[in-house]
Amino acid sequence: MTTKKTAKKTPAKKKPAAKSAEKSAPAASRSSKAAAPYADAPINQALTNDDKIAALVSMVRIRKFEQAALQAYQKGKMGGFLHLYIGQEATAVGTVGQLGDDDHVITAYRDHGHALVVGMSMNECMAELYGKYTGCSKGKGGSMHYFAPDKNYWGGHGIVGGQIPLGLGIAYALKYKGKKGCCFAFMGDGAVNQGPVHEAMNLAGLWDIPVIFVIENNKYSMGTSQERSSVYPKEGLAARADAYNIVWDQISGENLYEVRAKTRVAMERAHNESRPTVLEIATYRYYGHSIADANHQKYRTKEEILEYQQKRDPIMVWERYLKEEGVLTDEQAKEIDKKAKEEAKDAVRFAEESPFPPKEEILRDVYHSVDNPGTHSNEGEIFFNDRLPWN
Amino acid sequence: MAIITYRQAIKDALAEEITRDESVFMMGEEVAQYNGAYKVTEGLWERFGDKRLVDAPISEAGFIGLGIGAAMMGLRPVIEMMFFSFVYVAWDQAVNNASSIRYMSGGLINIPLVIRGPANGGTNVGATHSHTPENMVANFPGLKVVAPCTAADAKGLMKAAIRDNDPVFVMESTILYGEESEVPDDPDFIIPLGKADIKRAGTDLTIVGHGRSVLVALKAAKELKDKHGIDAEVVDLRSIRPLDEATILKSVKKTNRVLVVDENKPYCGVGAQISHLVQRKAFDYLDGPVHRLSAVDAPAIYSPPLEKIQLPSDRDIIREVELMFNINA
Ligand SMILES: Cc1ncc(C[n+]2csc(CCOP(=O)(O)OP(=O)(O)O)c2C)c(N)n1
Ligand SMILES: [Mg+2]
């Protein structure tokens, strides 16, 4: 019981993140023009009308892409898993959407949203799902393993929590190189119970690493509610950061303004003080854990799903704000929806028409030394196939 | 004899052992309330309750370690890996602690632990989810590892594993869960660890495999007979450590030719050990070199048609045998 008290008290004592966010919180009451909470935060004030529309487009593109992917999956066009991000779009757009040249991203297997926001094309993403050569990873990684290092996007990782130390390392490298950047390391609410996550947090707190740990709390890890997997779920998973002397904050993932505002505070902390932050974003996935999770209405109620879909949908909420601000019309919204749908349809066509990788590709990209002959001092055999199936 | 699925056979084994022995409990992710990610434990939580079926958070190092500790205290934990690929996050617990404690304690402690779950490729889940670590586990003295391919073997080996007083890794296959075959009804039906099984008798060639590769070999054997009149004997290792050397050698001495097939990557794969055994102990009986088929030596590729090529198929086996017999197909 005493532990519980401390756990509750400590975050309240040092909550600079929450405090700085508070500054922008009463925005609604201060300004009659911008009714939405956190619209007054400087980073949101800086948004032009076009920027706001672009953010909407970004969220809608994720949704349409995934709806098209789901259809293709159901037609048997791809294998393996498909974890949909639908319902969580404001998180990727509000965080990754603020990436500067020296800011980086790494995430788990629910990775399509972040990928589209960094600027990966629907074509390469869809083709990857199809296992095609034109996919972002040449068809080698699949849904869970998207990569685009040229866009500071370091994957797409399938092992729960496994990407978090990597995110720490990316941020470590930024600091090492003297860059004023940060790395967003995304994970789910279930991932916080992996040991490497905690080791990474301790190292980040200990060594002043500019990493932003983002917990996308969609309330469930597969069929397990956070109440069944974590102690003190109500106090917030982010509060664990106290143990590592890391500032933390909680964010409502249905309000893009709030995601942006609080993320900005964390980014500035990383850029200016080289200090980590833990952000916990409350969000929801509308579909099952993956398409295979047909039982997702058993561990959560229909009412709960509907509540999020009908009242707290991040795209709907954002559209409402923009309409209230006079930035968006119904026609424009429809047009955005239609365009994204067409783009997704084109991506499906692109994926369908693309070739599979040639079989020799199985043995490429295993070793840098093999792919770049003459550049390493290597001798001896490195592959051990007595005979290849195609020889 | 009942005809049941491989999944049902494992479930029956678990249920019977949980009923029989109070110290047996199951722990893992989604094993209880969700009924198992692959439905292997479906209905068990309802039947046996919270104490015997425990849902754990995604903390493999924590709960595998817990399993070892509980086993040190005389319980018989059965830990499910949703995928065996996830055992790597708990590698220190699973292989370092589980294999060494008995030895380091001078035999004062033993660890009756089972770690079970699917370890297979072929389902397009990519490199991180398609590992077959039985060869690595077998490399640790102190650990035992089995890989059943039929429902009966799955049941008999699972029960033997649970009753065993050492840590046993049971490698299953998501592709086999739905496959049906005959299983004896006897609740004490057990298959001892370390006992191979001749899945098909033959005279011309011995094909040695484990896990799903055995079924692939059986399919190839049928075609080899039809197409070339080659009568292959298929030896299913079932248990990789302990290993039934006698059955392998007996078969080799009869057929004089050996093809080893497994889904492992070739380097230090299970097949390498079998190949060594055969040349060391049956050299004079061989009419030619031991051949081996493994997965193509690269991480598991996602692209579905390519992953099919990467794993040894019945076509590959037939081709290899044709080569061994100098048949120009
Ligand atoms: C180490 C490890 N254990 C288990 C799994 C299987 N698994 C994949 S996702 C998942 C649930 C993760 O939930 P959460 O972290 O909340 O992320 P979400 O799926 O909700 O985005 C589990 C158990 C895995 N991929 N890796
Ligand atoms: Mg979750």
Side-chain angles (χ1 to χ4, degrees), chain A residues 85 94 304:
Chain A
Y85 196 64
E304 181 181 291

Side-chain angles (χ1 to χ4, degrees), chain A residues 43-63:
Chain A
I43 190 70
N44 291 330
Q45 294 263 298
L47 289 172
T48 64
N49 288 356
D50 283 350
D51 292 337
K52 292 180 185 181
I53 298 283
L56 175 63
V57 169
S58 196
M59 288 197 283
V60 173
R61 284 179 72 245
I62 297 172
R63 189 161 296 187

Side-chain angles (χ1 to χ4, degrees), chain B residues 89-201:
Chain B
V89 306
W91 201 232
D92 175 59
Q93 298 297 336
V95 301
N96 200 1
N97 276 345
S99 75
S100 316
I101 285 175
R102 174 168 176 76
Y103 191 74
M104 295 185 305
S105 71
L108 296 176
I109 300 171
N110 68 296
I111 299 169
L113 170 76
V114 172
I115 304 180
R116 54 150 290 269
N120 59 282
T123 60
N124 324 129
V125 287
T128 55
H129 280 53
S130 305
H131 292 281
T132 53
E134 58 267 25
N135 58 324
M136 285 191 271
V137 174
N139 195 244
F140 285 83
L143 303 182
K144 297 173 180 173
V145 52
V146 300
C149 72
T150 66
D153 291 346
K155 183 170 184 193
L157 287 170
M158 188 66 68
K159 288 170 73 91
I162 295 172
R163 297 181 191 190
D164 205 88
N165 284 327
D166 291 310
V168 185
F169 289 60
V170 183
M171 308 298 199
E172 303 162 9
S173 165
T174 53
I175 297 176
L176 298 181
Y177 282 142
E179 295 290 312
E180 293 186 327
S181 55
E182 279 195 340
V183 177
D185 301 318
D186 176 7
D188 277 314
F189 164 69
I190 290 266
I191 294 173
L193 307 185
K195 200 160 169 19
D197 185 39
I198 310 278
K199 284 284 188 297
R200 182 189 197 280

Side-chain angles (χ1 to χ4, degrees), chain A residues 129 131 193-194 224 293 391, chain B residues 30 34 59-60 297 302-303 319:
Chain A
L129 299 182
N193 295 313
Q194 275 288 346
T224 305
D293 176 19
N391 280 348
Chain B
E30 311 293 349
Y34 192 82
S59 303
E60 287 86 355
D297 200 9
Y302 160 68
S303 188
R319 222 173 59 111

Side-chain angles (χ1 to χ4, degrees), chain A residues 79-80 128-129 131 139-140 142 144-145 158 193-194 221-224 228-229 293 357 362 383-385 387-388 391, chain B residues 30 33-34 55 57-60 82-83 86 89 123-125 128-129 266-267 296-298 302-303 305-306 319-320:
Chain A
E128 188 61 34
L129 299 182
K140 294 184 172 183
M144 301 193 286
H145 309 115
N193 295 313
Q194 275 288 346
S221 50
M222 294 191 88
T224 305
R228 293 206 301 123
S229 62
D293 176 19
I362 296 176
F383 290 118
F384 296 87
N385 303 293
R387 190 160 75 131
L388 290 166
N391 280 348
Chain B
E30 311 293 349
Q33 297 191 26
Y34 192 82
D55 274 330
I58 315 167
S59 303
E60 287 86 355
M82 190 181 287
F83 279 74
F86 307 154
V89 306
T123 60
N124 324 129
V125 287
T128 55
H129 280 53
Y267 201 108
V296 175
D297 200 9
Y302 160 68
S303 188
L306 274 87
R319 222 173 59 111
E320 199 65 23

